[in-house]
């Protein structure tokens, strides 16, 4: 019973007390039915809040480091991340590469997340980015031949190409960046696994050609090298960014131009190649049922690998310029 003169707690008071008690409860997180000691999860895991680049290591040296550093810097700026700690990143890269004997070819993935915190999608006011480094074997199992560069054999990948049923996401604010939201590429690779083709062209929702599932695309048409305009979608790879420099150094009188490409243009192309920072130039030998000439691409591939061989950076030499 309530004493005479005492007031009954109101419903709103009871609700407020319950809400205060709930706020005092610690967050919990479970993984596969087991509680985790730390319930704070990285924003990369929850929202894909981050970006990455994949480095090619050639006997322990980084290929085309300038392009990768520029990509990391641009991603940090466009996604509103705090300035990267280059001193710590360089130190970690040096330690990782020095931790075991170098191989002829390897891959190191540099992945940057916004870290912990924030409320829902809202980033924390003072984000503390987290940098992950992952060292991987070079994916050479599908190499079909090789090119000679400085008396060494560089694996060359000749591809069969089809058209993906999965659309490339169209988002101009993220276009060009290698951010962590890559589900369209994941679905496209999943669909490709059920075919006999090596790669697939991805179109956006407007029907524009964007690229391949894990590479940029270049077509040779009427003597011109054309690559899709990436204003609204796609990733601008480090190989594509540097390719014109390599072509000029080789004395080739052609340059890659950005253009609005249709699927019909690809069907009518004389030659096609894919390119990325790990496998370099990959000639397309077959587009759906049509055989394509790979000879015109051989000189481009040779130019790229020759140029790349002269752009190798020893991680131990990395330092922050004042």
């Amino acid at each position: 019973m309530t004493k005479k003169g005492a007031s009954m707690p109101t419903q709103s008071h009871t609700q407020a007390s319950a809400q205060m008690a709930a706020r005092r409860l610690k967050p919990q997180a479970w993984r596969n039915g087991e509680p985790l000691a730390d319930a704070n999860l990285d924003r990369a895991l929850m929202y894909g809040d981050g970006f990455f680049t994949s480095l090619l290591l050639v006997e322990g040296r980084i290929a085309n480091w300038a392009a990768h550093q520029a990509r990391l810097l641009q991603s940090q700026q466009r996604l509103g991340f705090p300035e990267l700690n280059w001193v710590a990143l360089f130190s970690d890269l040096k330690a990782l590469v020095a931790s075991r004997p170098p191989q002829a070819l390897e891959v190191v993935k540099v992945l940057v997340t916004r870290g912990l915190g924030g409320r829902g999608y809202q980033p924390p006011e003072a984000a503390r980015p987290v940098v992950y480094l992952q060292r991987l074997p070079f994916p050479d199992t599908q190499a079909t031949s090789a090119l000679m560069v400085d008396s060494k054999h560089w694996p060359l990948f000749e591809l069969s190409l089809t058209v993906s049923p999965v659309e490339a996401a169209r988002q101009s604010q993220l276009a060009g960046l290698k951010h962590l939201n890559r589900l369209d590429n994941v679905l496209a690779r999943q669909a490709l696994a059920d075919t006999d083709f090596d790669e697939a062209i991805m179109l956006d929702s407007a029907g524009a050609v964007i690229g391949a599932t894990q590479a940029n695309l270049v077509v040779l048409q009427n003597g011109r090298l054309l690559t899709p305009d990436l204003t609204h979608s796609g990733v601008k790879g480090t190989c594509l960014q540097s390719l014109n420099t390599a072509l000029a150094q080789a004395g080739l009188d052609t340059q890659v131009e950005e253009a609005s490409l249709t699927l019909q243009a690809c069907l009518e192309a004389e030659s096609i190649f894919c390119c990325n920072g790990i496998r370099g130039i990959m000639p397309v030998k077959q587009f759906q049922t049509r055989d394509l000439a790979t000879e015109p691409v051989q000189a481009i591939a040779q130019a790229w690998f020759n140029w790349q061989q002269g752009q190798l950076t020893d991680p131990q030499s990395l330092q922050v310029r004042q």
Side-chain angles (χ1 to χ4, degrees):
M1 295 181 59
T2 304
K3 291 183 179 180
K4 188 176 181 179
S7 61
M8 292 287 290
T10 64
Q11 186 175 6
S12 60
H13 177 77
T14 303
Q15 290 175 338
S17 298
Q19 290 172 354
M20 290 180 63
R23 282 196 289 268
R24 288 194 292 268
L25 293 176
K26 293 182 179 180
Q28 292 180 304
W30 289 46
R31 181 180 61 205
N32 292 335
E34 296 292 334
L36 297 176
D38 187 355
N40 294 310
L41 302 180
D42 197 299
R43 292 181 62 85
L45 178 62
M46 294 193 291
Y47 313 119
D49 192 357
F51 53 91
F52 71 103
T53 194
S54 298
L55 312 176
L56 174 64
L57 285 189
V58 182
E59 296 178 338
R61 294 177 293 170
I62 305 170
N64 200 15
W65 166 248
H68 288 285
Q69 185 173 18
R71 164 186 271 176
L72 292 171
L73 180 60
Q74 182 190 49
S75 299
Q76 169 238 305
Q77 293 172 341
R78 285 181 55 185
L79 294 177
F81 272 52
E83 185 176 353
L84 295 178
N85 186 340
W86 292 104
V87 173
L89 175 56
F90 290 166
S91 177
D92 292 346
L93 272 173
K94 293 173 185 178
L96 176 68
V97 175
S99 66
R100 71 183 186 201
Q103 303 299 304
L105 296 172
E106 294 177 275
V107 176
V108 169
K109 182 175 290 186
V110 181
L111 191 152
V112 183
T113 85
R114 208 183 298 263
L116 307 177
R119 188 171 182 83
Y121 292 135
Q122 179 66 43
E125 291 184 5
R128 299 178 64 182
V130 176
V131 178
Y132 296 89
L133 299 180
Q134 184 184 32
R135 191 173 186 174
L136 302 164
F138 181 81
D140 61 355
T141 55
Q142 295 176 321
T144 54
S145 58
L147 291 176
M148 290 297 293
V149 180
D150 288 350
S151 301
K152 299 176 183 177
H153 289 85
W154 283 81
L156 186 67
F157 300 82
E158 294 185 339
L159 308 175
S160 58
L161 185 67
T162 187
V163 179
S164 178
V166 180
E167 291 180 352
R170 188 176 172 92
Q171 168 55 275
S172 57
Q173 289 178 296
L174 298 176
L177 300 180
K178 200 162 189 180
H179 53 78
L180 295 181
N181 295 273
R182 305 252 62 91
L183 276 179
D184 47 347
N185 300 85
V186 171
L187 292 176
R189 292 301 299 183
Q190 187 177 53
L192 187 62
D194 295 329
T195 75
D196 294 326
F197 293 93
D198 304 310
E199 254 295 4
I201 291 177
M202 296 184 70
L203 313 177
D204 68 8
S205 57
V209 172
I210 298 302
T213 63
Q214 54 187 17
N216 290 115
L217 188 80
V218 180
V219 303
L220 175 61
Q221 192 174 58
N222 299 322
R224 299 171 65 196
L225 292 175
L226 304 176
T227 194
D229 175 14
L230 301 179
T231 301
H232 301 292
S233 185
V235 175
K236 191 162 187 178
T238 55
C239 178
L240 182 65
Q241 290 183 46
S242 306
L243 184 54
N244 280 340
T245 303
L247 296 178
Q249 180 176 291
L252 299 180
D253 59 355
T254 185
Q255 293 276 278
V256 179
E257 310 168 46
E258 289 190 7
S260 296
L261 285 183
T262 63
L263 184 57
Q264 188 61 34
C266 295
L267 291 169
E268 296 172 355
E270 302 157 31
S271 296
I272 301 176
F273 65 87
C274 298
C275 63
N276 65 30
I278 301 302
R279 292 183 171 180
I281 307 299
M282 296 169 279
V284 173
K285 61 183 178 182
Q286 178 188 354
F287 183 21
Q288 295 185 324
T289 59
R290 177 180 166 225
D291 293 334
L292 292 177
T294 60
E295 291 78 10
V297 183
Q298 294 289 333
I300 296 171
Q302 189 73 58
W304 170 255
F305 290 120
N306 288 343
W307 178 84
Q308 182 177 251
Q309 185 67 14
Q311 304 296 318
L312 302 179
T313 300
D314 185 344
Q316 302 304 321
S317 69
L318 294 175
Q319 58 183 345
V320 178
R321 293 186 176 89
Q322 302 297 329

